[in-house]
Amino acid sequence: MYLRPRTIDAAVAALVETKGRIVAGGTDVMPALVDQVRRTPFIDISAVDDLRGITISGGKVRMGARTTWTDIASADLPPALHGLQAAAREVGSRQIQNVGTIAGNLCNASPAADGVPPLLALDAEVELTSAAGRRSMPLASFILGNRKTELRAGEMMTAVTVSALGPAARSAFLKLGARRYLVISIAMAAAVVERGKDGTIADARIAVGACSAVARRLSALEKDLVGKPFSPAAAEFVTAAHVAGLTPIDDVRATATYRTDAAETVVRRVLAACLSETAHA
Amino acid sequence: MTTVTMTVNGKSVTANVDPRTLLAQFVRENLRLTGTHVGCDTSQCGACVVHVDGRAVKSCTVLAVSCDGASVTTIEGLANGAELHPMQAAFREHHGLQCGFCTPGMIMSAVDIVNRKGHDLDEHTIREELEGNICRCTGYHNIVKAVEAGAKAMGGTVAAGIAAE
């Protein structure tokens, strides 16, 4: 069975009726079904216009669920979202970014999803819609584990919202893989840092992905960075203890020991990039 | 079965397909346009790249029915009769292939790069932009040369490339 609704209401009604699977770009759904009979009903939301696009108003940036990574990478967004835009350019390859969507990346809930660390660092909220109405929750509460989310039966993600922050905020994203392109991360990190009036760090939000079942914020590091100089030198305050809470696994891409070591380096580098004047020229 | 209508290489096609049919399957099996290759079937290798509404996509993970109303260009849609598209001619001239399996996807991506980035492409840009296309024979050297030359040639004969979109 295949349905292609044109509105959010019709999509939600189709979900209730068919218990089908929401598909937008299909870049995660289809490869997972190779060699299997595709029995699940598909609810293709690629024709729901209201779910695509980025709007900035009232200090908030709202991204519709099926906004593609190419849409995000090519949009004119404030510096706090430059890290998210850098991550957008790392999702698969250009052809994947052209169809793959922000909500797909989040609902797929891969521990190595490129979109998650930058959105966690932005304190993103996700909007979930069902026949009963809408609810919002922090992204940090939405992803529960490897491929597990808070999404209930009959519910779909309809938007992702972040604070635009001001011109005093900077952001960056860095991904380490076995090669430069088209790669699943060994470790990745995102940073959003706000500069205080006195020229020190007023607020820092750092998230690491691919080193735990769900990407995590490094709250101890975030606290330690407040009051430190707003310059790449602040990266030197990162220690092994700051990443000790990560729980990486051994797998085909790297060992847990390597990942922990790499995470520390990646965090240091992402901070340095975030705090360098030239990174956002 | 679901009815799907799309424009493929400038011609309108309508077909009744199983809604689970992927775009790559549809062009190869229903339309017999077998120039689009399926290498990995998991959207990694890029052999299946086609253009949908002017954007490069990997057709092995796109449902054919989701392209209802869209305009699709496959490798067969580039040449003007017996006259090769400038990018195809450049791949032949510079021997940008060995076994040829990745070539249709390489050329479709290369044309997309030119459409987005213009006719004057440096080596770094080409290598970076070809991230989604894997070749296991050539080591990419001649592919990069071919894309650079093809991009310049497309600048001289814009009509063929853009009109096909």
Side-chain angles (χ1 to χ4, degrees), chain A residues 2 4 25-26 30-31 34 37-38 42 44 46 52 70-71 89 93-99 181-182, chain B residues 19-20 22 25 41 43-44 49 55-58 61 63 65-66 68 109 116 128-129 131-134:
Chain A
Y2 173 83
R4 198 176 192 219
M30 299 304 164
V34 165
V37 180
R38 294 184 281 266
F42 287 131
D44 176 359
S46 64
R52 184 169 182 180
T70 297
D71 293 339
R89 283 293 288 117
S93 59
R94 172 71 68 168
Q95 299 89 345
I96 302 298
Q97 293 155 21
N98 281 344
V99 290
Y181 299 111
L182 200 71
Chain B
R20 298 168 295 192
L22 296 167
Q25 268 176 297
D41 220 357
S43 268
Q44 298 176 75
V49 172
R55 287 195 152 177
V57 304
K58 294 186 173 178
T61 46
L63 290 170
V65 283
S66 76
D68 190 54
S109 287
R116 287 184 289 109
E128 199 168 74
E129 290 288 334
E131 63 180 348
N133 292 80
I134 294 172

